[in-house]
């Protein structure tokens, strides 16, 4: 047993090193535009004064995202590299690599909060700590999603902290020790401002905590005191977030307020109150409108249960569903027996076989998120914590080990390397080209036209807002006719000697450009790049042209 524990520790250390090393490499896979456009892109514009694309959620006309977490994560990292460059610690601290890796590195460090919480919670929930840690660290969800700058990643970390706070250690007596009500209020409110869907994840932990409080406290006064602390700290945290967001989204108005009207402090506070920004309410107002959700894609209500859960967690999700049905069947059977025998209603014991409470921690948020028609796999990544704790209980042998390993290897390869995997290296290449010594000595104009790729994060090009020699055009998934019109229009206006036009397009739609009647002077193929929107055809892959089909082309237009 000691030898097995030592092997488990060594395996976890190896997987932890892989997580950190792969972040620094860096990972080339591009999961979703939100990993850039909900924090790093915005902060690069605000702090580093780079040319960026501000998503609509961060516009003062429609503020739907809090600025607090972007400032505390990407904002802090960008401020550090900016300060290092200003202090001449390094002459080129700000480049495409540091712009990508620095925020990811912070999130990777934060991801070890998950490992801490698993190790801390495993004894309480009757799970094997090292088995749970191996399941967590070996999951491609941890290796890929938890090292990316998603709000869902922060949601998962806050959910983990909340589970630690509500899972009280057993004291020497039989009653549980309630944990800090104040911290629970702060975490819950912070999670709500990060993503209002956090309430779906927080519901079961809060109910579990409330039941512990009620069971352990004899005095009504003490009971009320716990809930008052939670509410007061939640309100204080909300005020902090609202104040920060209001100042950020109305900063221009405040400047005008001071400079033109010479208003008193009371007038400023009054107008600030009128312009108060509560981003979660704006978020909910937008997302509760079915028409708005349809713009981002509508899915069947069972997508999370039947597809996304399997895509993220594989066999663990399927086994959890099976265990859930068994426990539900057992509970219904007990309920029927109780009714026949005229006894009290049966209860679900926290430490009973299979830990039904952990299954509730997993399935209740999943059920709430399934109420919305827009369902993406990343919305479920916080659920990895209760799932690995449930799967690592001693009376549940982890079967299908080989299948788990192969599944996570495939997931890491697909999402960490292949999925839109050429776009980030492409931006690295273009950044080096634009900032090459030849370009610096002789100013040149660059037009970068992206088609059939995810939205390119402009910040990785490292172009200052004051520089106007780079134009980025995102054609998204435009059809052949629209794309050819855009290419031909720029080709016909191709007059200056120092102008360069690059077209970035996946290999699977490379043939479309050949129909546009233009020629190219240079072609650069970046491999690998898999576009699920324009997937390669299997017969073409087997025909020897697979590298082109799994690549991203950078085509320089000929004069």
């Amino acid at each position: 047993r000691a030898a097995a524990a030592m092997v488990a520790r060594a395996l976890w250390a190896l997987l932890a090193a892989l997580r950190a090393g792969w972040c620094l490499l860096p990972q080339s896979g591009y999961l979703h535009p939100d990993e850039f456009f909900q924090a790093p892109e915005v902060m690069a514009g605000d702090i580093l004064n780079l040319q960026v694309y501000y998503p609509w959620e961060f516009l003062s006309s429609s503020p739907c995202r809090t600025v607090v977490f972007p400032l505390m994560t990407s904002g802090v990292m960008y401020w550090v590299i900016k300060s290092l460059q200003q202090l001449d610690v390094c002459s080129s601290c700000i480049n495409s690599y540091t712009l990508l890796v620095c925020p990811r590195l912070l999130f990777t460090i934060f991801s070890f909060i998950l490992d801490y919480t698993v190790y801390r919670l495993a004894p309480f929930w009757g799970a094997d700590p090292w088995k749970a840690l191996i399941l967590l660290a070996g999951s491609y969800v941890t290796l890929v999603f938890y090292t990316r700058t998603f709000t869902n990643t922060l949601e998962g970390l806050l959910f983990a902290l909340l589970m630690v706070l509500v899972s009280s250690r057993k004291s020497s007596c039989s009653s549980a020790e309630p944990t800090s009500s104040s911290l629970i209020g702060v975490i819950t409110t912070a999670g709500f401002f990060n993503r209002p869907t956090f309430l779906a994840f927080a519901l079961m932990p809060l109910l579990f905590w409330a039941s512990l409080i009620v069971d352990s406290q004899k005095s009504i006064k003490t009971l009320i005191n716990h809930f008052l602390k939670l509410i007061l700290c939640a309100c204080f945290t909300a005020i902090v977030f609202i104040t920060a967001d209001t100042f950020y989204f109305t900063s221009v108005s405040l400047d005008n307020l001071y400079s033109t009207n010479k208003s008193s402090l009371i007038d400023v506070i009054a107008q600030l109150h009128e312009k108060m920004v509560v981003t979660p309410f704006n978020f909910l107002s937008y997302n509760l409108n079915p028409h708005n959700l349809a713009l981002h894609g509508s899915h069947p209500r069972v997508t999370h249960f039947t597809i996304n859960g399997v895509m993220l967690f594989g066999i663990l999700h399927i086994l959890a569903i099976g265990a859930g049905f068994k426990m539900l069947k057992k509970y219904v059977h007990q309920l029927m027996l109780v009714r026949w025998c005229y006894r009290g209603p049966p209860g679900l014991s926290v430490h009973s076989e299979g830990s039904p409470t952990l299954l509730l921690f997993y399935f209740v948020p999943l059920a709430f998120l399934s109420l919305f028609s827009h369902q993406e796999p990343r919305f479920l990544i916080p659920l990895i914590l209760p799932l690995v704790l449930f799967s690592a209980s001693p009376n549940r042998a982890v079967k299908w080990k080989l299948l788990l390993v192969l599944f996570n290897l495939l997931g890491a390869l697909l999402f960490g390397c292949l999925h839109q995997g050429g776009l980030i290296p492409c931006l690295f290449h273009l950044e080096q080209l634009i900032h090459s010594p030849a370009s610096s000595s002789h100013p040149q104009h660059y037009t970068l036209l992206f088609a059939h790729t995810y939205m390119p994060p402009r910040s990785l090009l490292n172009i200052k807002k004051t520089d106007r020699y780079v134009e980025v055009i995102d054609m998204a998934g435009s059809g052949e006719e629209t794309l050819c019109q855009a290419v031909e229009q720029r080709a016909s206006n191709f007059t200056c000697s120092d102008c360069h036009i690059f077209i970035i397009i996946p290999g699977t739609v490379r043939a479309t450009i050949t129909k546009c009647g233009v020629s190219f002077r240079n072609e650069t193929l970046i491999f690998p790049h898999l576009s699920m929107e324009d997937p390669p055809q299997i017969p073409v892959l087997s025909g020897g042209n697979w590298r082109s089909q799994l690549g991203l082309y950078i085509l320089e237009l000929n004069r």
Side-chain angles (χ1 to χ4, degrees):
R1 188 175 180 84
M6 188 174 295
V7 170
R9 288 184 178 92
L11 182 56
W12 175 83
L14 183 66
L15 291 168
L18 173 63
R19 193 189 316 174
W22 201 11
C23 167
L24 295 171
L25 195 58
Q27 290 184 24
S28 59
Y30 184 172
L31 298 176
H32 190 279
D34 282 358
E35 70 175 285
F36 292 102
F37 293 93
Q38 287 184 358
E41 184 84 351
V42 176
M43 291 299 104
D46 290 347
I47 293 174
L48 301 178
N49 201 35
L50 298 180
Q51 287 186 28
V52 299
Y53 176 82
Y54 284 95
W56 64 270
E57 299 103 318
F58 283 94
L59 299 178
S60 57
S61 58
S62 55
C64 288
R65 300 280 180 189
T66 182
V67 76
V68 174
F69 283 111
L71 279 171
M72 290 171 61
T73 53
S74 300
V76 168
M77 298 304 287
Y78 287 160
W79 177 82
V80 169
I81 60 174
K82 179 182 179 181
S83 301
L84 290 175
Q85 184 159 304
Q86 289 175 340
L87 294 170
D88 289 329
V89 175
C90 59
S91 58
S92 57
C93 286
I94 302 173
N95 54 62
S96 56
Y97 175 81
T98 56
L99 289 168
L100 174 73
V101 170
C102 285
R104 284 187 179 181
L105 181 60
L106 185 64
F107 273 69
T108 301
I109 294 169
F110 284 165
S111 73
F112 286 96
I113 293 173
L114 278 181
D115 301 74
Y116 166 76
T117 55
V118 163
Y119 189 78
R120 172 89 178 267
L121 290 171
F124 180 83
W125 292 102
D128 183 307
W130 287 106
K131 187 194 293 185
L133 279 171
I134 297 302
L135 286 174
L136 175 74
S139 170
Y140 86 88
V141 172
T142 306
L143 288 169
V144 179
F145 283 86
Y146 272 94
T147 58
R148 304 298 181 91
T149 48
F150 284 117
T151 55
N152 310 91
T153 305
L154 291 172
E155 187 173 44
L157 298 176
L158 292 169
F159 177 53
L161 291 174
L162 186 61
M163 281 194 65
V164 169
L165 291 174
V166 304
S167 302
S168 309
R169 290 189 301 272
K170 295 176 78 173
S171 60
S172 56
C173 58
S174 59
S175 61
E177 298 175 357
T179 50
S180 174
S181 311
S182 305
L183 283 176
I184 290 173
V186 170
I187 294 293
T188 304
T189 308
F192 176 66
F193 273 83
N194 175 58
R195 288 184 67 85
T197 53
F198 184 74
L199 293 183
F201 296 98
L203 176 62
M204 282 308 300
L206 289 176
L207 289 176
F208 179 76
W209 170 79
S211 68
L212 282 181
I213 293 291
V214 171
D215 290 344
S216 62
Q217 301 299 326
K218 301 288 194 278
S219 167
I220 294 293
K221 182 180 178 181
T222 310
L223 192 67
I224 293 173
N225 186 43
H226 276 292
F227 286 103
L228 276 179
K229 279 183 182 178
L230 185 146
I231 293 169
L232 287 174
C233 287
C235 290
F236 175 77
T237 307
I239 290 170
V240 171
F241 275 85
I242 291 170
T243 303
D245 290 337
T246 301
F247 271 102
Y248 177 80
F249 288 108
T250 62
S251 57
V252 176
S253 302
L254 287 173
D255 290 340
N256 293 337
L257 208 62
Y258 279 114
S259 59
T260 57
N261 296 338
K262 311 284 187 189
S263 302
S264 66
L265 181 61
I266 296 175
D267 293 331
V268 171
I269 293 172
Q271 292 208 24
L272 193 62
H273 180 266
E274 291 177 6
K275 297 177 180 295
M276 187 169 61
V277 175
V278 187
T279 52
F281 292 161
N282 297 338
F283 178 95
L284 288 170
S285 175
Y286 179 87
N287 284 281
L288 289 176
N289 186 331
H291 174 71
N292 292 335
L293 284 183
L295 297 175
H296 302 275
S298 293
H299 309 94
R301 293 296 197 276
V302 295
T303 301
H304 279 326
F305 276 100
T306 57
I307 298 174
N308 294 341
V310 177
M311 188 186 300
L312 290 176
F313 309 121
I315 192 68
L316 295 184
H317 175 75
I318 296 171
L319 293 175
I321 290 176
F325 276 118
K326 285 181 182 178
M327 290 181 185
L328 186 62
K329 181 180 177 182
K330 181 179 178 181
Y331 182 75
V332 170
H333 181 65
Q334 288 178 350
L335 183 63
M336 292 174 66
L337 287 177
V338 165
R339 291 187 62 184
W340 289 337
C341 299
Y342 298 100
R343 293 175 183 171
L348 287 174
S349 171
V350 172
H351 296 287
S352 62
E353 183 180 350
S355 192
T357 307
L358 276 177
L359 281 179
L360 290 175
F361 278 37
Y362 182 75
F363 283 114
V364 168
L366 201 155
F368 272 105
L369 293 175
S370 298
L371 297 176
F372 297 93
S373 61
H374 182 59
Q375 301 185 17
E376 295 181 30
R378 63 191 171 95
F379 295 168
L380 302 183
I381 65 172
L383 296 178
I384 191 172
L385 180 60
L387 184 60
V388 298
L389 288 172
F390 174 78
S391 302
S393 56
N395 53 5
R396 294 189 62 81
V398 179
K399 301 176 182 178
W400 313 94
K401 290 181 182 178
L402 180 60
L403 182 60
L404 268 175
V405 172
L406 292 175
F407 170 79
N408 286 302
L409 279 174
L410 181 62
L413 176 66
L414 176 61
F415 293 106
C417 297
L418 294 176
H419 188 258
Q420 294 284 326
L423 191 55
I424 302 303
C426 164
L427 292 168
F428 279 23
H429 173 80
L430 292 171
E431 190 251 358
Q432 291 177 357
L433 181 68
I434 291 167
H435 295 283
S436 64
S439 298
S440 301
S441 56
H442 300 286
Q444 303 180 49
H445 186 274
Y446 295 89
T447 299
L448 311 176
L449 191 151
F450 293 83
H452 292 262
T453 68
Y454 275 4
M455 195 159 50
R458 277 76 159 168
S459 59
L460 296 186
L461 294 170
N462 192 21
I463 308 297
K464 292 291 184 183
K465 288 180 179 178
T466 52
D467 298 331
R468 298 296 176 190
Y469 58 86
V470 177
E471 179 188 15
V472 177
I473 302 167
D474 183 12
M475 299 292 293
S478 300
E480 180 180 325
E481 183 179 350
T482 305
L483 182 58
C484 282
Q485 284 179 355
V487 172
E488 290 166 2
Q489 179 185 358
R490 275 146 189 85
S492 61
N493 296 331
F494 201 169
T495 55
C496 72
S497 59
D498 294 323
C499 293
H500 301 271
I501 299 176
F502 292 93
I503 298 168
I504 297 92
I505 194 164
T508 48
V509 289
R510 169 72 174 81
T512 302
I513 294 294
T514 60
K515 302 175 184 177
C516 296
V518 294
S519 60
F520 303 98
R521 56 185 292 189
N522 285 317
E523 287 190 11
T524 303
L525 177 64
I526 295 178
F527 176 87
H529 179 91
L530 175 63
S531 173
M532 300 305 293
E533 288 72 25
D534 301 284
Q537 301 297 318
I538 300 299
V540 179
L541 283 177
S542 59
N545 197 27
W546 60 273
R547 189 176 176 85
S548 173
Q549 290 288 299
L550 290 174
L552 183 70
Y553 278 95
I554 304 174
L555 307 172
E556 185 175 2
L557 201 63
N558 201 4
R559 188 172 305 285

